[in-house]
Amino acid sequence: MDYYIPISRRLFEHHLWCEERIFSRFEAWLDILQSARFEDTKQLIGNRLIEVKRGQMLVSLRYLAARWQWSTKKVGSFLELLIQDGMIAKETPKETGQTVITICNYDKYNALTPKEETPRKQEGNTLETPWKQQGNKIKKDKKEKKVEESTAGAVDKKTAATAATLERKNTFYQSLVPYVGSYPKEMIRAFFNYWSEQNKSGTRMRYELEKTWELPKRLATWAARERMPAKPAAGMVLTDNSTEKYNTPEERKWEERWRQ
């Protein structure tokens, strides 16, 4: 870590970064680095799930042009420059029409923390160190704790079901990201809050109780009822420079996920 300056992702929520301006090429490169996924995920484009791996971002050139206040031609030329320098790879699948940018050597810019390293590497780092005995003690304590938990009984099924629902809720949230450029963000948030409402047991969400579900049609119907006409698509990466209030910590959690 000798050559690193740790920077929080919250830096990119700062008003100095968020002010409207024409980006320099360095700022554009930094924006790509901070916008790329830091973990494997999937994004819903139309009716197709697209896998986006760690170090990749799925965008349109029009979105980048609007975000950086460049022309689409300048964006294309800049990406070609990064490709020539071995900094990124780029492809545009015909089925989505979206540009997939892959950052080369992504881990050099976003190094894994010790918690994210493999158990084998962690063990190798601790061999023949003064802390080996302490590590063995921790392992022993964990083993004893597992025995106690096993003796006490099985894990609460309701808690496990609630955790699974929250995971599906996150997946549902991610599926709405590509539509942020087509509909107002406030509408997308209201749509999510309504359809992700959980039942009393916390095991199912409102949209999961529907007999039929096609996300594009549901959004179009919602927009018509709200009398909010769809806006021209401008991309799918959410940015929000406002300072909104949130009713619960969970709402802030979902808001922060939009910005990642």
Side-chain angles (χ1 to χ4, degrees), residues 25 76-88:
R25 289 190 294 184
S77 298
F78 176 65
L79 295 181
E80 289 299 323
L81 175 64
L82 297 182
I83 292 172
Q84 293 175 16
D85 201 26
M87 299 167 70
I88 68 168

Side-chain angles (χ1 to χ4, degrees), residues 60-67 178 180-182 231-237:
S60 67
L61 296 185
R62 286 191 302 169
Y63 170 77
L64 293 179
R67 181 175 175 83
V180 173
S182 301
K231 299 187 295 185
M236 67 199 158
V237 180

Side-chain angles (χ1 to χ4, degrees), residues 10-205:
R10 292 187 180 277
L11 172 69
F12 300 101
E13 301 174 21
H14 195 278
H15 60 272
L16 292 179
W17 173 263
C18 295
E19 68 176 347
E20 293 188 7
R21 67 193 185 282
I22 299 176
F23 276 47
S24 67
R25 289 190 294 184
F26 175 75
E27 288 174 312
W29 168 238
L30 187 59
D31 196 39
I32 290 176
L33 288 176
Q34 70 95 8
S35 298
R37 296 299 307 175
F38 53 86
E39 60 184 359
D40 294 351
T41 186
K42 292 182 180 179
Q43 291 183 205
L44 184 65
I45 304 297
N47 292 321
R48 184 186 297 272
L49 275 174
I50 306 299
E51 186 175 5
V52 183
K53 294 186 175 297
R54 172 178 165 84
Q56 291 185 332
M57 61 184 298
L58 189 63
V59 293
S60 67
L61 296 185
R62 286 191 302 169
Y63 170 77
L64 293 179
R67 181 175 175 83
W68 300 341
Q69 296 191 21
W70 291 5
S71 66
T72 54
K73 182 178 179 181
K74 183 176 179 180
V75 171
S77 298
F78 176 65
L79 295 181
E80 289 299 323
L81 175 64
L82 297 182
I83 292 172
Q84 293 175 16
D85 201 26
M87 299 167 70
I88 68 168
K90 177 174 70 73
E91 62 177 333
T92 306
K94 294 182 179 179
E95 60 270 19
T96 65
Q98 297 287 327
T99 298
V100 179
I101 296 176
T102 302
I103 299 174
C104 302
N105 302 317
Y106 180 75
D107 287 339
K108 289 185 177 180
Y109 300 99
N110 291 269
L112 294 175
T113 64
K115 292 182 179 180
E116 297 170 313
E117 294 177 346
T118 62
R120 179 176 297 179
K121 186 173 181 181
Q122 287 180 327
E123 183 178 355
N125 289 338
T126 57
L127 287 176
E128 299 180 0
T129 67
W131 304 104
K132 184 176 180 180
Q133 290 183 347
Q134 183 178 352
N136 291 336
K137 183 179 183 301
I138 293 175
K139 290 181 180 179
K140 181 180 178 181
D141 292 343
K142 287 184 178 180
K143 185 176 181 180
E144 292 176 352
K145 184 178 180 181
K146 286 183 180 180
V147 173
E148 292 175 359
E149 291 176 349
S150 177
T151 303
V155 177
D156 187 351
K157 292 183 178 181
K158 182 178 180 180
T159 301
T162 301
T165 302
L166 290 176
E167 181 66 24
R168 298 198 310 278
K169 186 175 183 179
N170 176 56
T171 301
F172 177 47
Y173 199 88
Q174 292 296 329
S175 72
L176 293 170
V177 172
Y179 297 94
V180 173
S182 301
Y183 296 100
K185 180 185 173 184
E186 293 75 12
M187 192 207 85
I188 294 292
R189 184 184 292 112
F191 181 89
F192 169 77
N193 289 339
Y194 177 81
W195 286 110
S196 63
E197 183 179 357
Q198 299 177 24
N199 58 9
K200 291 183 178 180
S201 63
T203 57
R204 302 289 295 275
M205 288 176 282

